[in-house]
Amino acid sequence: DVKVTQSSRYLVKRTGEKVFLECVQDMDHENMFWYRQDPGLGLRLIYFSYDVKMKEKGDIPEGYSVSREKKERFSLILESASTNQTSMYLCASSPRRRGTETQYFGPGTRLLVL
Amino acid sequence: GEDVEQSLFLSVREGDSSVINCTYTDSSSTYLYWYKQEPGAGLQLLTYIFSNMDMKQDQRLTVLLNKKDKHLSLRIADTQTGDSAIYFCAESITDSWGKLQFGAGTQVVVTP
């Protein structure tokens, strides 16, 4: 079974803090993704990584950065958290084989920025 | 990006069938997916259909695909209270090597 884990289920941070969200997958997947989920908006892609040290902006990258130093780990960084970044953050991974885009999700991190 | 559209809410009585509808945009999508999200959890893959199929059945789940209208539906037979969740449809994005475009999700509430 694919396992995707996220470092925290719930986080409370203050405006201006630097926030790190960690994601680890154990299936040797090349692709990893960070989404945020907001009611009525579904999942919006923040960043995508298709290999170690490789990254690509998604639909809403502003205010976020990412790091992929090892294949199994993909970190999302909020350089200076703001209240509009309060959201549910979901990490996913998938193998990079054409025609097999099934993504496997972690349990999510609910972030509250005060 | 392009939009995948779903209705936001569906209420269904326990034991009835649920039908969740989705329209997608990329006629070249290879796969179309249904994911389920239970409260406080991540997304769990429910089922998927290859674009050259028009129907797939898996126990209580039936997926119908109408490529001409770019319409995807998920039917859940004999809906149970444990089926209460948010259901997302997603399409693979052509030549994106792994990206999916998700709909906004349909909240399904099953009433006794």
Side-chain angles (χ1 to χ4, degrees), chain A residues 9 31 33 35 37 40 42-43 45 56 90 96 98-99 101-103 105-107, chain B residues 31 33 35 37 40-43 45 88 92 95 97-100 102-104:
Chain A
R9 294 300 304 273
N31 295 336
F33 307 83
Y35 295 91
Q37 181 184 8
L43 273 68
L45 182 64
E56 193 175 297
L90 292 164
R96 194 175 74 227
R98 189 178 285 283
E101 295 94 351
T102 303
Q103 292 183 14
F105 282 81
Chain B
Y31 288 95
Y33 297 85
Y35 282 85
Q37 184 182 36
L43 274 67
L45 178 67
F88 292 90
S92 57
D95 295 329
W97 289 95
K99 285 195 241 180
L100 297 179
F102 286 86

PDB file of all heavy atoms in Angstrom, chain A residues 9 31 33 35 37 40 42-43 45 56 90 96 98-99 101-103 105-107, chain B residues 31 33 35 37 40-43 45 88 92 95 97-100 102-104:
ATOM      1  N   ARG A   9      -1.136  17.108  11.667  1.00  0.00           N
ATOM      2  CA  ARG A   9      -2.550  17.140  11.267  1.00  0.00           C
ATOM      3  C   ARG A   9      -3.133  18.535  11.465  1.00  0.00           C
ATOM      4  O   ARG A   9      -3.967  18.970  10.689  1.00  0.00           O
ATOM      5  CB  ARG A   9      -3.361  16.128  12.085  1.00  0.00           C
ATOM      6  CG  ARG A   9      -3.011  14.680  11.836  1.00  0.00           C
ATOM      7  CD  ARG A   9      -3.223  14.261  10.376  1.00  0.00           C
ATOM      8  NE  ARG A   9      -4.565  14.504   9.896  1.00  0.00           N
ATOM      9  CZ  ARG A   9      -5.579  13.657  10.025  1.00  0.00           C
ATOM     10  NH1 ARG A   9      -5.408  12.503  10.645  1.00  0.00           N
ATOM     11  NH2 ARG A   9      -6.769  13.949   9.544  1.00  0.00           N
ATOM     12  N   ASN A  31       6.806  11.866  -8.790  1.00  0.00           N
ATOM     13  CA  ASN A  31       6.014  13.100  -8.695  1.00  0.00           C
ATOM     14  C   ASN A  31       5.500  13.322  -7.287  1.00  0.00           C
ATOM     15  O   ASN A  31       5.024  12.392  -6.635  1.00  0.00           O
ATOM     16  CB  ASN A  31       4.784  13.008  -9.611  1.00  0.00           C
ATOM     17  CG  ASN A  31       5.138  12.929 -11.080  1.00  0.00           C
ATOM     18  OD1 ASN A  31       6.200  13.359 -11.494  1.00  0.00           O
ATOM     19  ND2 ASN A  31       4.234  12.382 -11.859  1.00  0.00           N
ATOM     20  N   PHE A  33       3.186  16.499  -5.040  1.00  0.00           N
ATOM     21  CA  PHE A  33       2.314  17.662  -5.239  1.00  0.00           C
ATOM     22  C   PHE A  33       1.927  18.263  -3.892  1.00  0.00           C
ATOM     23  O   PHE A  33       1.736  17.527  -2.917  1.00  0.00           O
ATOM     24  CB  PHE A  33       0.996  17.236  -5.922  1.00  0.00           C
ATOM     25  CG  PHE A  33       1.161  16.458  -7.188  1.00  0.00           C
ATOM     26  CD1 PHE A  33       1.391  15.095  -7.152  1.00  0.00           C
ATOM     27  CD2 PHE A  33       1.070  17.089  -8.413  1.00  0.00           C
ATOM     28  CE1 PHE A  33       1.535  14.366  -8.324  1.00  0.00           C
ATOM     29  CE2 PHE A  33       1.208  16.376  -9.586  1.00  0.00           C
ATOM     30  CZ  PHE A  33       1.434  15.009  -9.542  1.00  0.00           C
ATOM     31  N   TYR A  35      -1.257  20.754  -2.600  1.00  0.00           N
ATOM     32  CA  TYR A  35      -2.516  21.416  -2.894  1.00  0.00           C
ATOM     33  C   TYR A  35      -2.986  22.140  -1.632  1.00  0.00           C
ATOM     34  O   TYR A  35      -2.678  21.734  -0.518  1.00  0.00           O
ATOM     35  CB  TYR A  35      -3.605  20.392  -3.228  1.00  0.00           C
ATOM     36  CG  TYR A  35      -3.403  19.578  -4.470  1.00  0.00           C
ATOM     37  CD1 TYR A  35      -2.742  18.350  -4.419  1.00  0.00           C
ATOM     38  CD2 TYR A  35      -3.911  20.001  -5.693  1.00  0.00           C
ATOM     39  CE1 TYR A  35      -2.586  17.577  -5.555  1.00  0.00           C
ATOM     40  CE2 TYR A  35      -3.763  19.233  -6.836  1.00  0.00           C
ATOM     41  CZ  TYR A  35      -3.099  18.023  -6.757  1.00  0.00           C
ATOM     42  OH  TYR A  35      -2.955  17.259  -7.887  1.00  0.00           O
ATOM     43  N   GLN A  37      -6.867  23.174  -0.071  1.00  0.00           N
ATOM     44  CA  GLN A  37      -8.277  22.891  -0.247  1.00  0.00           C
ATOM     45  C   GLN A  37      -9.095  23.885   0.554  1.00  0.00           C
ATOM     46  O   GLN A  37      -8.934  24.004   1.774  1.00  0.00           O
ATOM     47  CB  GLN A  37      -8.607  21.467   0.224  1.00  0.00           C
ATOM     48  CG  GLN A  37     -10.071  21.114   0.044  1.00  0.00           C
ATOM     49  CD  GLN A  37     -10.418  19.752   0.580  1.00  0.00           C
ATOM     50  OE1 GLN A  37      -9.603  19.093   1.230  1.00  0.00           O
ATOM     51  NE2 GLN A  37     -11.616  19.301   0.307  1.00  0.00           N
ATOM     52  N   GLY A  40     -15.743  25.026  -1.453  1.00  0.00           N
ATOM     53  CA  GLY A  40     -16.292  25.570  -2.688  1.00  0.00           C
ATOM     54  C   GLY A  40     -15.277  25.776  -3.791  1.00  0.00           C
ATOM     55  O   GLY A  40     -15.654  26.041  -4.935  1.00  0.00           O
ATOM     56  N   GLY A  42     -12.505  23.506  -4.115  1.00  0.00           N
ATOM     57  CA  GLY A  42     -11.863  22.240  -4.432  1.00  0.00           C
ATOM     58  C   GLY A  42     -10.379  22.265  -4.126  1.00  0.00           C
ATOM     59  O   GLY A  42      -9.937  22.965  -3.214  1.00  0.00           O
ATOM     60  N   LEU A  43      -9.623  21.511  -4.888  1.00  0.00           N
ATOM     61  CA  LEU A  43      -8.180  21.447  -4.708  1.00  0.00           C
ATOM     62  C   LEU A  43      -7.500  22.349  -5.723  1.00  0.00           C
ATOM     63  O   LEU A  43      -7.782  22.265  -6.919  1.00  0.00           O
ATOM     64  CB  LEU A  43      -7.690  20.007  -4.926  1.00  0.00           C
ATOM     65  CG  LEU A  43      -7.705  19.085  -3.729  1.00  0.00           C
ATOM     66  CD1 LEU A  43      -9.121  18.773  -3.304  1.00  0.00           C
ATOM     67  CD2 LEU A  43      -6.970  17.794  -4.057  1.00  0.00           C
ATOM     68  N   LEU A  45      -3.682  23.474  -7.071  1.00  0.00           N
ATOM     69  CA  LEU A  45      -2.288  23.050  -7.056  1.00  0.00           C
ATOM     70  C   LEU A  45      -1.382  24.233  -6.741  1.00  0.00           C
ATOM     71  O   LEU A  45      -1.422  25.265  -7.417  1.00  0.00           O
ATOM     72  CB  LEU A  45      -1.916  22.443  -8.410  1.00  0.00           C
ATOM     73  CG  LEU A  45      -0.505  21.904  -8.546  1.00  0.00           C
ATOM     74  CD1 LEU A  45      -0.280  20.721  -7.603  1.00  0.00           C
ATOM     75  CD2 LEU A  45      -0.236  21.486  -9.992  1.00  0.00           C
ATOM     76  N   GLU A  56       7.911  22.843 -10.170  1.00  0.00           N
ATOM     77  CA  GLU A  56       7.139  23.584 -11.162  1.00  0.00           C
ATOM     78  C   GLU A  56       6.001  24.285 -10.437  1.00  0.00           C
ATOM     79  O   GLU A  56       5.361  23.685  -9.562  1.00  0.00           O
ATOM     80  CB  GLU A  56       6.583  22.597 -12.192  1.00  0.00           C
ATOM     81  CG  GLU A  56       6.022  23.205 -13.445  1.00  0.00           C
ATOM     82  CD  GLU A  56       5.609  22.123 -14.438  1.00  0.00           C
ATOM     83  OE1 GLU A  56       6.475  21.365 -14.903  1.00  0.00           O
ATOM     84  OE2 GLU A  56       4.398  22.051 -14.736  1.00  0.00           O
ATOM     85  N   LEU A  90      -2.913  19.610   1.397  1.00  0.00           N
ATOM     86  CA  LEU A  90      -2.844  18.190   1.051  1.00  0.00           C
ATOM     87  C   LEU A  90      -1.628  17.924   0.181  1.00  0.00           C
ATOM     88  O   LEU A  90      -1.364  18.645  -0.773  1.00  0.00           O
ATOM     89  CB  LEU A  90      -4.103  17.773   0.284  1.00  0.00           C
ATOM     90  CG  LEU A  90      -5.395  17.777   1.093  1.00  0.00           C
ATOM     91  CD1 LEU A  90      -6.600  17.737   0.179  1.00  0.00           C
ATOM     92  CD2 LEU A  90      -5.443  16.606   2.048  1.00  0.00           C
ATOM     93  N   ARG A  96       5.795   8.526 -12.208  1.00  0.00           N
ATOM     94  CA  ARG A  96       5.858   9.275 -13.462  1.00  0.00           C
ATOM     95  C   ARG A  96       5.916   8.298 -14.625  1.00  0.00           C
ATOM     96  O   ARG A  96       6.963   8.000 -15.164  1.00  0.00           O
ATOM     97  CB  ARG A  96       7.058  10.217 -13.492  1.00  0.00           C
ATOM     98  CG  ARG A  96       6.964  11.243 -14.619  1.00  0.00           C
ATOM     99  CD  ARG A  96       8.074  12.264 -14.584  1.00  0.00           C
ATOM    100  NE  ARG A  96       9.335  11.685 -15.020  1.00  0.00           N
ATOM    101  CZ  ARG A  96      10.474  11.859 -14.349  1.00  0.00           C
ATOM    102  NH1 ARG A  96      10.512  12.555 -13.238  1.00  0.00           N
ATOM    103  NH2 ARG A  96      11.588  11.326 -14.799  1.00  0.00           N
ATOM    104  N   ARG A  98       3.625   7.660 -18.180  1.00  0.00           N
ATOM    105  CA  ARG A  98       2.528   8.203 -18.974  1.00  0.00           C
ATOM    106  C   ARG A  98       1.340   7.253 -18.919  1.00  0.00           C
ATOM    107  O   ARG A  98       1.491   6.049 -19.057  1.00  0.00           O
ATOM    108  CB  ARG A  98       2.959   8.419 -20.417  1.00  0.00           C
ATOM    109  CG  ARG A  98       1.926   9.180 -21.225  1.00  0.00           C
ATOM    110  CD  ARG A  98       2.411   9.426 -22.631  1.00  0.00           C
ATOM    111  NE  ARG A  98       3.419  10.466 -22.710  1.00  0.00           N
ATOM    112  CZ  ARG A  98       3.163  11.754 -22.651  1.00  0.00           C
ATOM    113  NH1 ARG A  98       1.934  12.179 -22.477  1.00  0.00           N
ATOM    114  NH2 ARG A  98       4.132  12.640 -22.748  1.00  0.00           N
ATOM    115  N   GLY A  99       0.187   7.808 -18.702  1.00  0.00           N
ATOM    116  CA  GLY A  99      -1.033   7.010 -18.644  1.00  0.00           C
ATOM    117  C   GLY A  99      -1.339   6.492 -17.257  1.00  0.00           C
ATOM    118  O   GLY A  99      -2.321   5.797 -17.070  1.00  0.00           O
ATOM    119  N   GLU A 101      -1.676   8.438 -13.958  1.00  0.00           N
ATOM    120  CA  GLU A 101      -1.554   9.673 -13.193  1.00  0.00           C
ATOM    121  C   GLU A 101      -2.208   9.578 -11.829  1.00  0.00           C
ATOM    122  O   GLU A 101      -2.367  10.584 -11.154  1.00  0.00           O
ATOM    123  CB  GLU A 101      -2.195  10.838 -13.967  1.00  0.00           C
ATOM    124  CG  GLU A 101      -1.490  11.158 -15.266  1.00  0.00           C
ATOM    125  CD  GLU A 101      -2.107  10.445 -16.459  1.00  0.00           C
ATOM    126  OE1 GLU A 101      -2.984   9.567 -16.282  1.00  0.00           O
ATOM    127  OE2 GLU A 101      -1.705  10.755 -17.589  1.00  0.00           O
ATOM    128  N   THR A 102      -2.590   8.377 -11.413  1.00  0.00           N
ATOM    129  CA  THR A 102      -3.255   8.234 -10.116  1.00  0.00           C
ATOM    130  C   THR A 102      -2.395   8.848  -9.032  1.00  0.00           C
ATOM    131  O   THR A 102      -1.219   8.505  -8.885  1.00  0.00           O
ATOM    132  CB  THR A 102      -3.494   6.752  -9.797  1.00  0.00           C
ATOM    133  OG1 THR A 102      -4.260   6.173 -10.854  1.00  0.00           O
ATOM    134  CG2 THR A 102      -4.233   6.601  -8.487  1.00  0.00           C
ATOM    135  N   GLN A 103      -2.997   9.743  -8.273  1.00  0.00           N
ATOM    136  CA  GLN A 103      -2.287  10.384  -7.180  1.00  0.00           C
ATOM    137  C   GLN A 103      -2.757   9.800  -5.857  1.00  0.00           C
ATOM    138  O   GLN A 103      -3.934   9.503  -5.670  1.00  0.00           O
ATOM    139  CB  GLN A 103      -2.535  11.896  -7.206  1.00  0.00           C
ATOM    140  CG  GLN A 103      -1.891  12.562  -8.408  1.00  0.00           C
ATOM    141  CD  GLN A 103      -2.053  14.064  -8.421  1.00  0.00           C
ATOM    142  OE1 GLN A 103      -2.422  14.689  -7.425  1.00  0.00           O
ATOM    143  NE2 GLN A 103      -1.762  14.670  -9.570  1.00  0.00           N
ATOM    144  N   PHE A 105      -2.846  10.406  -1.741  1.00  0.00           N
ATOM    145  CA  PHE A 105      -2.872  11.580  -0.869  1.00  0.00           C
ATOM    146  C   PHE A 105      -2.511  11.253   0.572  1.00  0.00           C
ATOM    147  O   PHE A 105      -2.823  10.181   1.089  1.00  0.00           O
ATOM    148  CB  PHE A 105      -4.268  12.215  -0.887  1.00  0.00           C
ATOM    149  CG  PHE A 105      -4.530  13.026  -2.121  1.00  0.00           C
ATOM    150  CD1 PHE A 105      -4.914  12.409  -3.295  1.00  0.00           C
ATOM    151  CD2 PHE A 105      -4.366  14.401  -2.105  1.00  0.00           C
ATOM    152  CE1 PHE A 105      -5.144  13.153  -4.444  1.00  0.00           C
ATOM    153  CE2 PHE A 105      -4.592  15.153  -3.238  1.00  0.00           C
ATOM    154  CZ  PHE A 105      -4.982  14.529  -4.411  1.00  0.00           C
ATOM    155  N   GLY A 106      -1.906  12.227   1.229  1.00  0.00           N
ATOM    156  CA  GLY A 106      -1.724  12.186   2.664  1.00  0.00           C
ATOM    157  C   GLY A 106      -2.998  12.613   3.371  1.00  0.00           C
ATOM    158  O   GLY A 106      -3.971  13.000   2.727  1.00  0.00           O
ATOM    159  N   PRO A 107      -2.998  12.577   4.715  1.00  0.00           N
ATOM    160  CA  PRO A 107      -4.207  12.883   5.486  1.00  0.00           C
ATOM    161  C   PRO A 107      -4.520  14.369   5.571  1.00  0.00           C
ATOM    162  O   PRO A 107      -5.615  14.742   5.992  1.00  0.00           O
ATOM    163  CB  PRO A 107      -3.890  12.325   6.874  1.00  0.00           C
ATOM    164  CG  PRO A 107      -2.400  12.369   6.952  1.00  0.00           C
ATOM    165  CD  PRO A 107      -1.898  12.117   5.574  1.00  0.00           C
TER     166      PRO A 107
ATOM    167  N   TYR B  31      -7.243   9.349 -18.410  1.00  0.00           N
ATOM    168  CA  TYR B  31      -8.012   8.761 -17.323  1.00  0.00           C
ATOM    169  C   TYR B  31      -8.882   9.819 -16.666  1.00  0.00           C
ATOM    170  O   TYR B  31      -8.511  10.993 -16.613  1.00  0.00           O
ATOM    171  CB  TYR B  31      -7.078   8.190 -16.246  1.00  0.00           C
ATOM    172  CG  TYR B  31      -6.358   6.928 -16.647  1.00  0.00           C
ATOM    173  CD1 TYR B  31      -5.081   6.984 -17.165  1.00  0.00           C
ATOM    174  CD2 TYR B  31      -6.973   5.693 -16.502  1.00  0.00           C
ATOM    175  CE1 TYR B  31      -4.419   5.831 -17.536  1.00  0.00           C
ATOM    176  CE2 TYR B  31      -6.315   4.532 -16.870  1.00  0.00           C
ATOM    177  CZ  TYR B  31      -5.041   4.609 -17.395  1.00  0.00           C
ATOM    178  OH  TYR B  31      -4.389   3.464 -17.756  1.00  0.00           O
ATOM    179  N   TYR B  33     -11.060  10.265 -12.925  1.00  0.00           N
ATOM    180  CA  TYR B  33     -10.996   9.690 -11.590  1.00  0.00           C
ATOM    181  C   TYR B  33     -12.148  10.157 -10.715  1.00  0.00           C
ATOM    182  O   TYR B  33     -12.664  11.270 -10.874  1.00  0.00           O
ATOM    183  CB  TYR B  33      -9.704  10.158 -10.894  1.00  0.00           C
ATOM    184  CG  TYR B  33      -8.439   9.719 -11.559  1.00  0.00           C
ATOM    185  CD1 TYR B  33      -7.895  10.451 -12.609  1.00  0.00           C
ATOM    186  CD2 TYR B  33      -7.782   8.568 -11.141  1.00  0.00           C
ATOM    187  CE1 TYR B  33      -6.732  10.045 -13.228  1.00  0.00           C
ATOM    188  CE2 TYR B  33      -6.615   8.162 -11.756  1.00  0.00           C
ATOM    189  CZ  TYR B  33      -6.089   8.906 -12.794  1.00  0.00           C
ATOM    190  OH  TYR B  33      -4.928   8.490 -13.390  1.00  0.00           O
ATOM    191  N   TYR B  35     -12.488  10.485  -6.549  1.00  0.00           N
ATOM    192  CA  TYR B  35     -11.884  10.394  -5.230  1.00  0.00           C
ATOM    193  C   TYR B  35     -12.953  10.683  -4.174  1.00  0.00           C
ATOM    194  O   TYR B  35     -13.881  11.447  -4.407  1.00  0.00           O
ATOM    195  CB  TYR B  35     -10.771  11.433  -5.063  1.00  0.00           C
ATOM    196  CG  TYR B  35      -9.456  11.089  -5.721  1.00  0.00           C
ATOM    197  CD1 TYR B  35      -9.233  11.375  -7.061  1.00  0.00           C
ATOM    198  CD2 TYR B  35      -8.428  10.496  -4.989  1.00  0.00           C
ATOM    199  CE1 TYR B  35      -8.015  11.081  -7.659  1.00  0.00           C
ATOM    200  CE2 TYR B  35      -7.202  10.200  -5.579  1.00  0.00           C
ATOM    201  CZ  TYR B  35      -7.010  10.492  -6.913  1.00  0.00           C
ATOM    202  OH  TYR B  35      -5.804  10.191  -7.495  1.00  0.00           O
ATOM    203  N   GLN B  37     -13.454  11.903  -0.050  1.00  0.00           N
ATOM    204  CA  GLN B  37     -12.814  12.506   1.111  1.00  0.00           C
ATOM    205  C   GLN B  37     -13.777  12.464   2.288  1.00  0.00           C
ATOM    206  O   GLN B  37     -14.813  13.136   2.287  1.00  0.00           O
ATOM    207  CB  GLN B  37     -12.395  13.947   0.837  1.00  0.00           C
ATOM    208  CG  GLN B  37     -11.632  14.579   1.999  1.00  0.00           C
ATOM    209  CD  GLN B  37     -11.271  16.028   1.737  1.00  0.00           C
ATOM    210  OE1 GLN B  37     -12.034  16.760   1.118  1.00  0.00           O
ATOM    211  NE2 GLN B  37     -10.101  16.447   2.206  1.00  0.00           N
ATOM    212  N   GLY B  40     -12.257  15.375   7.698  1.00  0.00           N
ATOM    213  CA  GLY B  40     -10.956  15.487   8.345  1.00  0.00           C
ATOM    214  C   GLY B  40      -9.862  14.638   7.748  1.00  0.00           C
ATOM    215  O   GLY B  40      -8.770  14.533   8.323  1.00  0.00           O
ATOM    216  N   ALA B  41     -10.104  14.033   6.596  1.00  0.00           N
ATOM    217  CA  ALA B  41      -9.124  13.111   6.020  1.00  0.00           C
ATOM    218  C   ALA B  41      -8.653  13.601   4.656  1.00  0.00           C
ATOM    219  O   ALA B  41      -9.214  14.537   4.084  1.00  0.00           O
ATOM    220  CB  ALA B  41      -9.741  11.717   5.891  1.00  0.00           C
ATOM    221  N   GLY B  42      -7.641  12.923   4.133  1.00  0.00           N
ATOM    222  CA  GLY B  42      -7.174  13.193   2.780  1.00  0.00           C
ATOM    223  C   GLY B  42      -8.077  12.529   1.757  1.00  0.00           C
ATOM    224  O   GLY B  42      -9.112  11.956   2.091  1.00  0.00           O
ATOM    225  N   LEU B  43      -7.695  12.619   0.495  1.00  0.00           N
ATOM    226  CA  LEU B  43      -8.503  12.029  -0.570  1.00  0.00           C
ATOM    227  C   LEU B  43      -8.094  10.573  -0.778  1.00  0.00           C
ATOM    228  O   LEU B  43      -6.913  10.232  -0.765  1.00  0.00           O
ATOM    229  CB  LEU B  43      -8.300  12.796  -1.883  1.00  0.00           C
ATOM    230  CG  LEU B  43      -9.180  14.017  -2.108  1.00  0.00           C
ATOM    231  CD1 LEU B  43      -8.850  15.122  -1.135  1.00  0.00           C
ATOM    232  CD2 LEU B  43      -9.049  14.491  -3.545  1.00  0.00           C
ATOM    233  N   LEU B  45      -8.571   7.346  -3.423  1.00  0.00           N
ATOM    234  CA  LEU B  45      -9.015   6.979  -4.756  1.00  0.00           C
ATOM    235  C   LEU B  45     -10.152   5.962  -4.668  1.00  0.00           C
ATOM    236  O   LEU B  45     -10.019   4.913  -4.039  1.00  0.00           O
ATOM    237  CB  LEU B  45      -7.858   6.377  -5.545  1.00  0.00           C
ATOM    238  CG  LEU B  45      -8.205   5.907  -6.950  1.00  0.00           C
ATOM    239  CD1 LEU B  45      -8.565   7.093  -7.844  1.00  0.00           C
ATOM    240  CD2 LEU B  45      -7.042   5.121  -7.561  1.00  0.00           C
ATOM    241  N   PHE B  88     -14.804  13.958  -5.338  1.00  0.00           N
ATOM    242  CA  PHE B  88     -14.143  14.796  -6.335  1.00  0.00           C
ATOM    243  C   PHE B  88     -13.972  14.023  -7.631  1.00  0.00           C
ATOM    244  O   PHE B  88     -13.515  12.880  -7.607  1.00  0.00           O
ATOM    245  CB  PHE B  88     -12.738  15.199  -5.864  1.00  0.00           C
ATOM    246  CG  PHE B  88     -12.720  16.143  -4.696  1.00  0.00           C
ATOM    247  CD1 PHE B  88     -12.688  15.654  -3.392  1.00  0.00           C
ATOM    248  CD2 PHE B  88     -12.728  17.511  -4.894  1.00  0.00           C
ATOM    249  CE1 PHE B  88     -12.662  16.519  -2.313  1.00  0.00           C
ATOM    250  CE2 PHE B  88     -12.704  18.393  -3.824  1.00  0.00           C
ATOM    251  CZ  PHE B  88     -12.675  17.889  -2.531  1.00  0.00           C
ATOM    252  N   SER B  92      -7.078  13.714 -16.020  1.00  0.00           N
ATOM    253  CA  SER B  92      -5.650  13.832 -16.282  1.00  0.00           C
ATOM    254  C   SER B  92      -5.452  14.933 -17.316  1.00  0.00           C
ATOM    255  O   SER B  92      -6.297  15.142 -18.180  1.00  0.00           O
ATOM    256  CB  SER B  92      -5.087  12.510 -16.780  1.00  0.00           C
ATOM    257  OG  SER B  92      -5.767  12.077 -17.938  1.00  0.00           O
ATOM    258  N   ASP B  95      -0.255  15.638 -21.579  1.00  0.00           N
ATOM    259  CA  ASP B  95       1.152  16.032 -21.667  1.00  0.00           C
ATOM    260  C   ASP B  95       1.660  16.737 -20.423  1.00  0.00           C
ATOM    261  O   ASP B  95       2.593  17.522 -20.488  1.00  0.00           O
ATOM    262  CB  ASP B  95       1.400  16.927 -22.890  1.00  0.00           C
ATOM    263  CG  ASP B  95       1.156  16.179 -24.192  1.00  0.00           C
ATOM    264  OD1 ASP B  95       1.384  14.954 -24.212  1.00  0.00           O
ATOM    265  OD2 ASP B  95       0.714  16.819 -25.154  1.00  0.00           O
ATOM    266  N   TRP B  97       2.469  14.949 -17.579  1.00  0.00           N
ATOM    267  CA  TRP B  97       3.246  14.004 -16.791  1.00  0.00           C
ATOM    268  C   TRP B  97       2.821  13.937 -15.329  1.00  0.00           C
ATOM    269  O   TRP B  97       3.647  13.970 -14.430  1.00  0.00           O
ATOM    270  CB  TRP B  97       4.749  14.291 -16.880  1.00  0.00           C
ATOM    271  CG  TRP B  97       5.284  13.953 -18.231  1.00  0.00           C
ATOM    272  CD1 TRP B  97       5.440  14.808 -19.262  1.00  0.00           C
ATOM    273  CD2 TRP B  97       5.675  12.663 -18.693  1.00  0.00           C
ATOM    274  NE1 TRP B  97       5.919  14.128 -20.352  1.00  0.00           N
ATOM    275  CE2 TRP B  97       6.069  12.818 -20.047  1.00  0.00           C
ATOM    276  CE3 TRP B  97       5.721  11.387 -18.108  1.00  0.00           C
ATOM    277  CZ2 TRP B  97       6.508  11.751 -20.814  1.00  0.00           C
ATOM    278  CZ3 TRP B  97       6.174  10.319 -18.879  1.00  0.00           C
ATOM    279  CH2 TRP B  97       6.562  10.508 -20.208  1.00  0.00           C
ATOM    280  N   GLY B  98       1.549  13.845 -15.147  1.00  0.00           N
ATOM    281  CA  GLY B  98       1.098  13.508 -13.798  1.00  0.00           C
ATOM    282  C   GLY B  98       0.115  14.460 -13.162  1.00  0.00           C
ATOM    283  O   GLY B  98      -0.442  14.140 -12.127  1.00  0.00           O
ATOM    284  N   LYS B  99      -0.092  15.625 -13.737  1.00  0.00           N
ATOM    285  CA  LYS B  99      -1.011  16.559 -13.094  1.00  0.00           C
ATOM    286  C   LYS B  99      -2.456  16.159 -13.352  1.00  0.00           C
ATOM    287  O   LYS B  99      -2.806  15.639 -14.399  1.00  0.00           O
ATOM    288  CB  LYS B  99      -0.785  17.981 -13.603  1.00  0.00           C
ATOM    289  CG  LYS B  99       0.463  18.626 -13.047  1.00  0.00           C
ATOM    290  CD  LYS B  99       0.429  20.117 -13.289  1.00  0.00           C
ATOM    291  CE  LYS B  99       1.584  20.517 -14.152  1.00  0.00           C
ATOM    292  NZ  LYS B  99       1.599  21.954 -14.420  1.00  0.00           N
ATOM    293  N   LEU B 100      -3.287  16.437 -12.358  1.00  0.00           N
ATOM    294  CA  LEU B 100      -4.720  16.225 -12.468  1.00  0.00           C
ATOM    295  C   LEU B 100      -5.423  17.554 -12.256  1.00  0.00           C
ATOM    296  O   LEU B 100      -4.958  18.397 -11.495  1.00  0.00           O
ATOM    297  CB  LEU B 100      -5.222  15.233 -11.410  1.00  0.00           C
ATOM    298  CG  LEU B 100      -4.681  13.803 -11.462  1.00  0.00           C
ATOM    299  CD1 LEU B 100      -5.267  12.976 -10.312  1.00  0.00           C
ATOM    300  CD2 LEU B 100      -4.996  13.151 -12.796  1.00  0.00           C
ATOM    301  N   PHE B 102      -8.838  18.945 -10.728  1.00  0.00           N
ATOM    302  CA  PHE B 102      -9.934  18.498  -9.860  1.00  0.00           C
ATOM    303  C   PHE B 102     -11.140  19.418  -9.965  1.00  0.00           C
ATOM    304  O   PHE B 102     -10.993  20.633 -10.153  1.00  0.00           O
ATOM    305  CB  PHE B 102      -9.477  18.489  -8.400  1.00  0.00           C
ATOM    306  CG  PHE B 102      -8.555  17.357  -8.068  1.00  0.00           C
ATOM    307  CD1 PHE B 102      -7.185  17.472  -8.272  1.00  0.00           C
ATOM    308  CD2 PHE B 102      -9.050  16.169  -7.549  1.00  0.00           C
ATOM    309  CE1 PHE B 102      -6.330  16.426  -7.972  1.00  0.00           C
ATOM    310  CE2 PHE B 102      -8.201  15.120  -7.245  1.00  0.00           C
ATOM    311  CZ  PHE B 102      -6.838  15.250  -7.469  1.00  0.00           C
ATOM    312  N   GLY B 103     -12.319  18.835  -9.784  1.00  0.00           N
ATOM    313  CA  GLY B 103     -13.509  19.641  -9.588  1.00  0.00           C
ATOM    314  C   GLY B 103     -13.568  20.149  -8.161  1.00  0.00           C
ATOM    315  O   GLY B 103     -12.718  19.811  -7.332  1.00  0.00           O
ATOM    316  N   ALA B 104     -14.587  20.944  -7.871  1.00  0.00           N
ATOM    317  CA  ALA B 104     -14.716  21.559  -6.544  1.00  0.00           C
ATOM    318  C   ALA B 104     -15.211  20.586  -5.486  1.00  0.00           C
ATOM    319  O   ALA B 104     -15.140  20.875  -4.295  1.00  0.00           O
ATOM    320  CB  ALA B 104     -15.642  22.772  -6.617  1.00  0.00           C
TER     321      ALA B 104
END
